[in-house]
Amino acid sequence: MRKAVIQRVDTFLFHGEPWFEIAFTYLDEPDAVHAVRMGNDGVPPHTQPGDIVWVATMMNTVTGFHRNRPAD
């Protein structure tokens, strides 16, 4: 799990449910902007640009964002 800063949060509806497009940069890779789309369950409430989060991945795919580092 790596720490990142949220750069952009866009919300859109997909089949009537809120989804998010999140742009972020890892703290140890500030020049590379990454973007993912995910449902409400993978994004902490009230996530905004500038927030520092932990990025959970599986096989190089982002599976969620967390405010605090979850237990391993």
Side-chain angles (χ1 to χ4, degrees):
M1 209 171 294
R2 293 167 68 185
K3 269 189 159 178
V5 61
I6 301 295
Q7 300 296 325
R8 189 183 80 248
V9 178
D10 294 321
T11 306
F12 61 96
L13 292 177
F14 183 70
H15 294 289
E17 297 292 324
W19 277 66
F20 300 90
E21 182 168 277
I22 309 270
F24 65 97
T25 55
Y26 289 113
L27 294 183
D28 60 351
E29 242 183 86
D31 295 331
V33 178
H34 304 273
V36 297
R37 287 184 172 183
M38 62 181 31
N40 198 34
D41 58 338
V43 181
H46 312 293
T47 299
Q48 304 177 49
D51 288 354
I52 303 294
V53 294
W54 288 93
V55 181
T57 60
M58 181 178 289
M59 297 177 62
N60 293 325
T61 300
V62 174
T63 59
F65 296 94
H66 305 275
R67 296 238 185 255
N68 300 310
R69 184 181 176 123
D72 291 330

